Amino acid sequence: MSAAQYNCRKCPGYCCSYPLIPLDKRDVERLARHHNMTFEAAKQAFTKEDHGRKYAMRRKKDDIYGRICRFFDTKERCCTIYLARPSVCRSFPGGGRCGYYDFLSFERRAQEDEKFVALTNHED
């Protein structure tokens, strides 16, 4: 695997806005431990059945993307459960590149604005 060619700290959380953040039972167990909750309490508080998945992360309103992961800090634009984050988040984006970061970097250069956010809307 090549070295990462992106910096998540310079991104406003695009991947956290995906309509589906799939979880598995181990992810829910990790969230339960992190929050000192039972599995059932964590399941009810943090997940819902959606997009054909038994466990999908609940989301909340976000001024930039419409909806975003319930554990995303919308002011600081970062994950609030980084050490307990789901496996899909741990493996993202997979390779050495992130397509959104490449796009965002290009748009920031084109707009001559280091804080420019290329918008999409994931309201659903």
Side-chain angles (χ1 to χ4, degrees):
M1 182 183 280
S2 62
Q5 297 178 29
Y6 56 90
N7 182 345
C8 293
R9 292 178 188 193
K10 292 184 177 181
C11 177
Y14 180 73
C15 61
C16 304
S17 75
Y18 287 177
L20 172 63
I21 300 173
L23 306 175
D24 59 29
K25 186 176 180 187
R26 290 183 64 198
D27 293 324
V28 181
E29 291 168 344
R30 187 181 310 111
L31 290 170
R33 279 192 308 275
H34 182 77
H35 292 282
N36 294 319
M37 301 170 82
T38 65
F39 175 86
E40 285 302 319
K43 177 183 164 188
Q44 184 173 355
F46 308 140
T47 75
K48 63 181 181 172
E49 287 190 37
D50 203 12
H51 294 273
R53 300 292 302 231
K54 185 173 183 178
Y55 309 112
M57 183 69 78
R58 289 188 182 275
R59 299 178 335 131
K60 64 183 180 182
K61 185 179 181 330
D62 180 55
D63 290 339
I64 293 179
Y65 295 117
R67 309 251 333 132
I68 202 155
C69 173
R70 69 164 330 279
F71 292 111
F72 193 79
D73 183 324
T74 57
K75 300 230 184 301
E76 296 295 319
R77 307 305 301 174
C78 63
C79 180
T80 63
I81 57 159
Y82 189 79
L83 295 176
R85 71 196 184 280
S87 55
V88 68
C89 303
R90 292 168 186 265
S91 66
F92 193 85
R97 302 195 74 89
C98 171
Y100 181 75
Y101 186 76
D102 289 345
F103 173 63
L104 182 64
S105 297
F106 171 82
E107 287 297 325
R108 286 179 173 173
R109 285 189 306 274
Q111 301 298 324
E112 296 179 350
D113 180 353
E114 280 301 308
K115 296 191 185 286
F116 180 80
V117 177
L119 293 179
T120 63
N121 191 326
H122 289 161
E123 292 267 354
D124 67 340

